[in-house]
Amino acid sequence: MINILSYVVILVIFNTAGQLLLKNATFNVRHKKIYLFMGYSLFLMTMGISFLLLKIIELKYFTIIMSINYISVILASSYFFKEKLNLEKIIGILIVVIGIVIFTLDVFDDNI
């Protein structure tokens, strides 16, 4: 059986790759249908993995996992599409990270 961390890693990778493929479809008109098909296929798989995760973990943990996707897409876009990490994106990443930390502390305080 695959452990929870494996599901999380696969979920983040598939979601990030799906968004990058859909973004690439807007740039690459020649192979647009292929990128759209692959991107939406990954989103479909992401939904399936999400349903599996929601059966295993509580929703409060799942929201933390899904917040990581925002950061991974920004970082992957800057790497693969050479997008600039401007101040607004960096502030956005910091806000998401701070939110994850605060939410994680709150979640673990509930268990005490």
Side-chain angles (χ1 to χ4, degrees):
M1 180 88 182
I2 298 178
N3 64 12
I4 294 173
L5 183 60
S6 299
Y7 281 126
V8 170
V9 170
I10 292 169
L11 178 73
V12 171
I13 290 172
F14 280 12
N15 195 4
T16 303
Q19 289 195 28
L20 293 179
L21 286 167
L22 293 177
K23 185 170 190 163
N24 199 26
T26 62
F27 299 137
N28 195 335
V29 178
R30 185 172 181 212
H31 301 290
K32 184 175 189 168
K33 290 181 182 179
I34 295 170
Y35 288 121
L36 287 174
F37 176 76
M38 290 175 16
Y40 284 122
S41 296
L42 283 174
F43 275 136
L44 185 63
M45 288 187 267
T46 300
M47 283 194 309
I49 296 168
S50 296
F51 289 136
L52 286 173
L53 268 175
L54 285 170
K55 287 183 177 181
I56 299 170
I57 64 174
E58 295 180 43
L59 182 61
K60 58 185 174 184
Y61 300 117
F62 186 74
T63 55
I64 296 169
I65 294 166
M66 293 308 290
S67 299
I68 297 169
N69 286 320
Y70 296 112
I71 298 169
S72 67
V73 170
I74 291 172
L75 296 177
S77 292
S78 68
Y79 180 77
F80 290 110
F81 296 126
K82 307 298 183 219
E83 290 184 357
K84 302 264 188 216
L85 277 176
N86 58 20
L87 184 62
E88 287 130 2
K89 290 180 183 177
I90 293 171
I91 290 172
I93 290 173
L94 290 174
I95 290 171
V96 171
V97 169
I98 290 168
I100 290 171
V101 169
I102 291 171
F103 193 77
T104 304
L105 292 175
D106 186 46
V107 165
F108 291 123
D109 283 344
D110 290 345
N111 294 331
I112 296 176

